[in-house]
Amino acid sequence: MAATVRPGRRLIVLLAVGVGVMAALVGVGLYGLTLAPTPSTPTTAAEPTTPAESTVDPEPSASSATLPPIRSTSDAESFARDAAYALINWDAATDFDPADYAQVIVDAGDPSGTETAGLASDVRTYLPTAEAWLTLRTYGTRQWLTIDEAFVPASWSDAVGQAAPGQLLPGTIAYTITGKRHRAGIVGTQAQETSRPIAFTLFIACEPSFDECRMLRLSEVDNPLR
């Protein structure tokens, strides 16, 4: 068994190819976790930093030493919602960079390390590149998520039924998140804001495999299970 992922470890594994439970599902054609294109630098940033209405804590200030972890819970839906906020919410005006935000998700992953490389690769597709981040920082760009729905997709039961014995960890479940991705910042002297629909699926394992829910893999952005 691989070593437990240590908090604070930098994401060397971001370039690795995913393997493990969800990769096995890909192998039998149940669901493709193909990586999405790397996000490009937006032509306009968006309006400054009025917090979105959500149940999560606000983004940390630039003086914070670390980003807050995903809240520990054995409730799959609650974990999925908190993980979705952690995945989408970021602030380029702080001292954090994309690897810091990605690490929060990886630290909430399978403690055996089996899914670490695949999860890290999945997360990388949700975040701006390092080059794009520098541009976003000049605009003071901030991104946040508002959730419309969090639900177990109907197709998940089919996936579970087709999985080979032992292919899925006990307590594995999928949650699809739908909502809006907002960006806000300053372009020149003008405050601007943009938003667009977003949807994705989180694959999570809870009890009895783990006392607290852990992240396994992510779908590509806007290609969720339905």
Side-chain angles (χ1 to χ4, degrees), residues 3 14 65 73 88 92 137 154 169:
L14 282 176
T73 178
I88 303 301
R137 180 166 283 170
L169 289 172

Side-chain angles (χ1 to χ4, degrees), residues 103-120:
Q103 191 66 53
V104 173
I105 305 299
V106 174
D107 285 345
D110 176 3
S112 74
T114 301
E115 296 291 347
T116 300
L119 177 60

